[in-house]
Amino acid sequence: MGILIKNGEIITASDRFVGDVYCEDGKIAAVGAGLSKERAGDTVIDASGQLIFPGGVDAHVHMELPFMGTESSDDFETGTAAGVAGGTTSIIDFVIPARGQALLDGLAMWNEKAKKAVSDYAFHMAVTWFGDDTLKEMAVCTREHGIPSFKTFMAYRGAIGVDDPELIQVMEAAKGLGALVTVHAEHGDAVVALQKKLLKEGKTHPRFHAQSRPAPIEGEATGRAIMLARMIGEPIYIVHLTCKEALAAVTEARSRGQVVMAETCPQYLLLDDSVYEKPGFEGAAYVMSPPIRPKGHQDALWAALSSGLIQTVATDHCPFNQVGQKDMGKDDFSRIPNGAAGIENRLALLWTYGVLAGRIDVHRFVDLFSTQPAKIFGLYPRKGSIVPGGDADLVIFDPKGTSTISAKTHHHRCDRSIFEGFEVKGKPTHVIVNGRVQCTDGKLDVQRGAGRYLPRRLGPSQGAQAF
């Protein structure tokens, strides 16, 4: 049956008006005022006094990722369900083959894992080494599997990280395929050297994780990746940008007209490195790479979001439990699994501390949360829009609602929340995924395996059309 949403304030990246949305067969069928398309058996939702957004697109998540001797604690079912609870209706996860493993073997593994997803999903493909068959496999990923974005890690030396010659080969291959390269930018060798130095000095506490990966290490790698992309003539997307040094490199490149895109995450906007001083081993909950930065970087990131220098806000959702996972590094910060939960919290945090704080307007909010990631990664207008023919992925949002973020109440399968105690204003009353109400007032009604794989295709300018 269909769904008629009446009298809501529809807000997109460009428009704002009071109207109705009618959905049937998993698609948006009509948008306008005074719609009367409902049939017997249709669901009618009165959204008076509420806002209607396109469903969120989180372009950077890691569900059940094997990493650092364990596996991220949310699988594709629990992680996508947590996303739905927070208004995120589509994700892009990362296939990350082991170094030496064929890309297509890795893809087969992730295809099997993702069958549990409750909402739609796509993949980026990580290139963790460059062998004789890598170019051919990248072509198969792009042309046959709809994966036109490739992730590279300049960190994690000896594991999934690539060196500069490999990064150049990936960029050259991507250019030939019309694909986009995304980069985790940290100087991997410098990180290893600092880790060894600190551990040799007996410095094992979680606070030293941040000291082993200072902002200049990210800034240098960001500039180097941008320079290589400039040399090759390939657009580049910098993931989870955290600091002024990296932002300066992006700003300089864009001022020259180079196609450089960047994302950041709520934790880098709202937390500072004092979190690593929490009592006992609690600072380990905040161990991620790049780490949380000192005060001062956050304001620069907010300004970059407002001005368009940073295009998207993702989460890098990659949770690990404090007990049984993070505590693997109790005597050695370099063994603490890197990552934290956040997919459920992105909408509320961006709305409360972005829109309501006057840092971004409502259209920029929708752009960052939904429309830009859909455009950059080849999902628009199927995702990230409220237009006839688009997927019926919608969030009905009560701006008067309030809540407090806590690990005791979140849907993440994780025993800590890095946003514990944050007060947020506004909450989804209904989240519609593929034309079905899957969350009502915080109560999930999801279906294991209902999520669909989203093959993607980029335009001739490899994402530059999103600007």
Side-chain angles (χ1 to χ4, degrees), residues 101-105 129 133-142 145 150 177:
Q101 183 183 21
L103 303 187
L104 298 180
D105 288 347
W129 66 300
D133 294 327
T134 303
L135 174 57
K136 180 171 64 177
E137 290 198 303
M138 288 176 67
V140 172
C141 287
T142 302
H145 296 283
F150 295 92
L177 294 168

Side-chain angles (χ1 to χ4, degrees), residues 138 225 227 333 395 409:
M138 288 176 67
M227 178 274 293
F333 70 84
V395 179
T409 54

Side-chain angles (χ1 to χ4, degrees), residues 57-62 76 91-97 103 106-107 110-111 121-127 141-142 145-153 180-183 237 239 263 312 314 373-374 376-379 453-454 456 458:
V57 178
D58 192 338
H60 190 153
V61 303
H62 300 283
F76 274 85
I91 63 165
I92 311 182
D93 203 289
F94 294 79
V95 177
I96 305 184
L103 303 187
L107 178 57
W110 259 260
N111 279 334
Y121 61 94
F123 293 133
H124 306 286
M125 174 60 71
V127 183
C141 287
T142 302
H145 296 283
I147 303 176
S149 48
F150 295 92
K151 171 75 172 290
T152 55
F153 296 88
L180 179 64
V181 174
T182 76
V183 177
Y237 179 97
V239 303
E263 74 179 25
T312 69
I376 290 171
F377 291 111
L379 293 172
Y453 174 65
L454 301 169
R456 299 176 291 119
L458 300 186

Side-chain angles (χ1 to χ4, degrees), residues 135-465:
L135 174 57
K136 180 171 64 177
E137 290 198 303
M138 288 176 67
V140 172
C141 287
T142 302
R143 294 167 181 163
E144 298 181 21
H145 296 283
I147 303 176
S149 48
F150 295 92
K151 171 75 172 290
T152 55
F153 296 88
M154 298 172 78
Y156 305 124
R157 277 287 192 261
I160 56 177
V162 296
D163 56 25
D164 284 359
E166 290 174 314
L167 179 56
I168 291 168
Q169 288 177 290
V170 174
M171 289 182 173
E172 289 175 336
K175 181 180 180 181
L177 294 168
L180 179 64
V181 174
T182 76
V183 177
H184 174 141
E186 291 182 288
H187 194 304
D189 293 325
V191 169
V192 171
L194 284 172
Q195 286 175 332
K196 289 180 177 178
K197 177 180 180 292
L198 291 165
L199 291 170
K200 187 176 180 180
E201 294 170 354
K203 297 174 178 177
T204 62
H205 189 273
R207 72 172 66 90
F208 297 109
H209 168 77
Q211 294 183 26
S212 73
R213 313 177 93 99
I217 279 179
E218 181 185 347
E220 184 280 334
T222 303
R224 179 159 39 101
I226 289 171
M227 178 274 293
L228 294 176
R230 181 186 186 186
M231 177 185 76
I232 293 162
E234 165 71 357
I236 188 172
Y237 179 97
I238 306 298
V239 303
H240 50 44
L241 188 147
T242 76
C243 63
K244 291 185 282 187
E245 290 86 341
L247 180 59
V250 170
T251 303
E252 189 277 331
R254 288 174 62 87
S255 73
R256 290 188 279 98
Q258 187 176 349
V259 180
V260 177
M261 296 162 278
E263 74 179 25
T264 192
C265 307
Q267 56 267 36
Y268 302 123
L269 294 165
L270 297 172
L271 303 175
D272 65 69
D273 65 348
S274 65
V275 296
Y276 295 115
E277 301 300 331
K278 288 184 177 290
F281 194 62
E282 286 301 307
Y286 303 84
V287 167
M288 61 191 70
S289 294
I292 307 299
R293 298 301 183 194
K295 289 181 179 178
H297 293 276
Q298 298 78 12
D299 287 342
L301 298 182
W302 279 113
L305 287 179
S306 177
S307 66
L309 288 170
I310 295 176
Q311 284 68 47
T312 69
V313 175
T315 62
D316 195 9
H317 179 84
C318 188
F320 297 98
N321 286 300
Q322 192 85 341
V323 178
Q325 292 187 302
K326 291 279 188 176
D327 57 12
M328 293 165 59
K330 202 150 193 176
D331 299 316
D332 178 350
F333 70 84
S334 71
R335 292 183 170 275
I336 300 171
N338 286 203
I343 191 171
E344 184 176 354
N345 309 128
R346 185 172 62 121
L347 183 155
L349 291 170
L350 268 181
W351 181 263
T352 302
Y353 298 99
V355 176
L356 297 185
R359 290 172 165 136
I360 55 174
D361 67 21
V362 292
H363 302 296
R364 188 70 180 133
F365 160 79
V366 173
D367 216 22
L368 294 165
F369 176 69
S370 181
T371 306
Q372 279 292 328
K375 285 184 173 182
I376 290 171
F377 291 111
L379 293 172
Y380 185 87
R382 179 178 179 182
K383 307 292 186 182
S385 68
I386 303 179
V387 295
D391 284 356
D393 293 349
L394 299 163
V395 179
I396 303 174
F397 185 79
D398 177 6
K400 297 179 181 178
T402 60
S403 61
T404 302
I405 296 173
S406 175
K408 295 178 181 177
T409 54
H410 68 195
H411 293 85
H412 304 134
R413 193 163 65 180
C414 186
D415 61 7
R416 295 292 189 276
S417 170
I418 58 172
F419 303 109
E420 187 73 34
F422 271 63
E423 301 285 341
V424 290
K425 297 179 181 179
K427 61 171 67 173
T429 60
H430 301 79
V431 181
I432 298 167
V433 186
N434 293 335
R436 193 176 74 83
V437 179
Q438 296 201 23
C439 189
T440 305
D441 293 325
K443 296 179 181 179
L444 287 169
D445 181 22
V446 296
Q447 295 178 343
R448 177 185 173 96
R452 302 168 298 179
Y453 174 65
L454 301 169
R456 299 176 291 119
R457 182 181 177 187
L458 300 186
S461 53
Q462 293 130 295
Q465 76 276 6

Side-chain angles (χ1 to χ4, degrees), residues 18-69:
V18 175
D20 307 336
V21 182
Y22 184 67
C23 309
E24 63 180 346
D25 300 325
K27 297 287 186 180
I28 295 171
V31 181
L35 296 182
S36 57
K37 295 178 72 70
E38 75 266 24
R39 305 165 298 180
D42 282 356
T43 298
V44 179
I45 300 172
D46 184 0
S48 299
Q50 299 189 71
L51 312 177
I52 304 173
F53 305 134
V57 178
D58 192 338
H60 190 153
V61 303
H62 300 283
M63 306 302 179
E64 52 191 291
L65 171 67
F67 189 53
M68 298 184 71

